[in-house]
């Protein structure tokens, strides 16, 4: 140790007492090889204290009083004048202490690291885990209830759907023709607030009025339904609702089976204001083929020039032949009639 060599020639006078009952004796104090040497005035060594075991009885006060660690009865007193020796002992003891293992500090570091990991897991992993679990365990019946409740909140912005019993029958036929993985679900045509389609939990799809009114054939609205079914396969509508909401909405759903009105109201606004997830051409073409729907009418509805949807037009799986009918002419005209006026 560099500091030890620096102080090995240093000496000081002090008062040493071997036991609490003994008289204090004047001694000479020097620093040896990792020890504090206490000698009498004839320079005969009386005792050696390991520097690693030197403790101070009165830190910061003078005269400085030291003792072997664990034996406060044996003391060495250095007067205020022995500043060099006092500074040397303090410096060496501090250097030795820094080199010692500190299991208490290690335990503290480990504890803090564990707390950081647990906190990070709670903040990052736990919310996603809760949401994923909720999406997994909620049955289709409860999804339909949530979708119906969300639909009521949406109607506060869009107004009620435009439907009659005849129109309802036509929508049901179209839903059966382009069903989801859990069945046909429900289709609703909304008068205001929706331009394309929106998928709700429970296999309910809301259709913008323009998709029914502005086209002479049902292929366009059927194409939008295919795209919406594909989006629902890619991202579960219930998962989207929970991801857009606080983790407490997922906890509430798991514990009570319900989602509060505030969450549904906020998500209703989000659905109406957000564009649907974009789909690549290959995914869309596979969907049109799976549901036996022509792709070209949908492509021209998205872009009347066909420039940005040329891939759908050229690779339409039914370009050379008509797929099974979507709706009869009378059903389509009836469906258009429900949104007239």
């Amino acid at each position: 140790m560099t500091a030890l060599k620096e102080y090995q020639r240093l000496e000081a006078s002090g008062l040493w007492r071997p036991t609490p009952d003994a008289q204090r004796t004047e001694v000479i104090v020097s620093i040896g090889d990792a020890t504090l040497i206490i000698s009498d005035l004839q320079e005969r060594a009386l005792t050696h204290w390991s520097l690693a075991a030197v403790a101070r009885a009165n830190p910061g006060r003078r005269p400085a009083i030291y003792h072997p660690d664990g034996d406060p009865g044996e003391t060495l007193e250095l007067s205020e004048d022995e500043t060099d020796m006092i500074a040397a002992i303090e410096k060496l003891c501090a250097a030795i202490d820094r080199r010692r293992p500190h299991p208490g500090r290690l335990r503290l570091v480990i504890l803090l690291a564990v707390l950081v990991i647990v906190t990070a897991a709670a903040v990052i992993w736990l919310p996603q885990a809760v949401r994923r679990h909720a999406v997994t365990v909620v049955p289709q019946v409860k999804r339909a209830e949530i979708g119906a409740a969300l639909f009521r909140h949406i109607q506060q912005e869009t107004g009620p759907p435009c439907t009659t019993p005849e129109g309802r029958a036509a929508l049901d036929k179209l839903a059966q023709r382009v069903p989801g993985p859990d069945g046909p679900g429900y289709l609703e045509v909304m008068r205001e607030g929706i331009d394309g389609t929106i998928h709700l939990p429970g296999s309910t799809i809301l259709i913008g009025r323009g998709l029914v009114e502005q086209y002479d054939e049902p292929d366009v609205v059927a194409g939008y339904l295919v795209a919406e079914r594909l989006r629902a396969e890619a991202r579960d509508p219930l998962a989207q609702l929970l991801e857009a909401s606080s983790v407490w909405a997922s906890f509430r759903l798991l514990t009570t089976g319900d989602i509060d009105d505030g969450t549904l109201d906020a998500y209703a606004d989000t659905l109406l204001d957000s564009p649907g997830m974009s789909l690549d051409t290959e995914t869309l073409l596979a969907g049109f083929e799976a549901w036996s729907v022509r792709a070209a009418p949908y492509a021209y509805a998205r872009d009347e020039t066909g420039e940005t949807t040329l891939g759908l037009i050229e690779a339409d799986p039914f370009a050379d032949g008509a797929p099974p009918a979507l709706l009869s002419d009378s059903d389509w005209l009836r469906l258009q009639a429900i949104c007239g006026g």
Side-chain angles (χ1 to χ4, degrees), residues 81-253:
D81 297 334
E82 303 295 348
T83 55
D84 290 342
M85 179 59 75
I86 294 172
I89 293 173
E90 297 294 332
K91 184 174 181 178
L92 291 172
C93 289
I96 292 170
D97 186 64
R98 284 194 299 270
R99 292 170 179 266
R100 286 195 183 106
H102 295 85
R105 292 182 188 175
L106 180 60
R107 284 194 294 269
L108 178 60
V109 170
I110 293 173
L111 177 60
L112 290 176
V114 171
L115 289 176
V116 169
I117 293 171
V118 170
T119 301
V123 172
I124 299 173
W125 174 82
L126 183 60
Q128 293 301 322
V130 171
R131 291 186 179 105
R132 286 195 297 268
H133 183 60
V135 170
T136 301
V137 302
V138 172
Q140 186 62 24
V141 172
K142 175 54 68 174
R143 288 169 177 260
E145 292 179 5
I146 294 170
L150 179 59
F151 185 36
R152 289 193 292 272
H153 285 272
I154 289 175
Q155 291 180 69
Q156 295 175 9
E157 302 292 333
T158 64
C162 49
T163 186
T164 64
E166 295 81 4
R168 177 76 268 159
L171 285 173
D172 289 343
K173 290 180 181 179
L174 186 58
Q176 292 172 359
R177 176 64 175 75
V178 190
D182 298 311
Y186 295 94
L187 304 180
E188 300 287 355
V189 178
M190 308 307 295
R191 296 183 183 276
E192 304 290 343
I194 298 176
D195 294 326
T197 51
I198 292 176
H199 209 132
L200 307 183
S203 297
T204 293
I205 297 179
L206 309 184
I207 303 169
R209 176 180 179 177
L211 297 181
V212 176
E213 284 189 324
Q214 296 173 11
Y215 302 98
D216 295 332
E217 52 189 357
D219 299 69
V220 172
V221 68
Y224 273 83
L225 292 179
V226 168
E228 201 59 47
R229 298 293 193 195
L230 291 171
R231 292 189 187 98
E233 287 182 4
R235 292 189 65 196
D236 189 305
L238 179 59
Q240 293 184 64
L241 188 163
L242 296 178
E243 288 169 6
S245 309
S246 72
V247 67
W248 301 114
S250 301
F251 275 117
R252 179 179 177 126
L253 178 59

Side-chain angles (χ1 to χ4, degrees), residues 215-297:
Y215 302 98
D216 295 332
E217 52 189 357
D219 299 69
V220 172
V221 68
Y224 273 83
L225 292 179
V226 168
E228 201 59 47
R229 298 293 193 195
L230 291 171
R231 292 189 187 98
E233 287 182 4
R235 292 189 65 196
D236 189 305
L238 179 59
Q240 293 184 64
L241 188 163
L242 296 178
E243 288 169 6
S245 309
S246 72
V247 67
W248 301 114
S250 301
F251 275 117
R252 179 179 177 126
L253 178 59
L254 287 172
T255 55
T256 68
D258 294 315
I259 297 179
D260 63 279
D261 288 338
T263 296
L264 293 175
D265 194 50
Y267 187 62
D269 292 337
T270 299
L271 274 180
L272 293 174
D273 294 338
S274 302
M277 180 180 67
S278 61
L279 300 167
D280 60 74
T281 300
E282 290 74 14
T283 299
L284 285 168
L285 287 171
F288 282 111
E289 185 172 8
W291 274 281
S292 298
V293 176
R294 290 191 296 153

Side-chain angles (χ1 to χ4, degrees), residues 13-85:
S13 62
L15 297 175
W16 173 65
R17 180 164 53 189
T19 64
D21 299 330
Q23 293 290 328
R24 291 187 300 174
T25 303
E26 186 175 356
V27 294
I28 298 173
V29 182
S30 60
I31 295 174
D33 186 12
T35 61
L36 195 65
I37 303 170
I38 301 174
S39 306
D40 60 18
L41 298 180
Q42 286 75 42
E43 297 186 356
R44 292 175 298 191
L46 299 174
T47 186
H48 294 73
W49 291 1
S50 170
L51 286 170
V54 173
R56 186 165 179 176
N58 59 343
R61 295 165 59 187
R62 299 293 175 91
I65 300 175
Y66 296 95
H67 63 83
D69 190 19
D71 186 10
E74 182 181 0
T75 62
L76 172 66
E77 181 180 315
L78 297 177
S79 68
E80 295 182 13
D81 297 334
E82 303 295 348
T83 55
D84 290 342
M85 179 59 75

Side-chain angles (χ1 to χ4, degrees), residues 326-340:
L326 292 163
L327 288 175
S328 66
D329 291 342
S330 60
D331 284 333
W332 178 242
L333 291 174
R334 190 177 296 116
L335 184 57
Q336 287 184 306
I338 68 173
C339 291

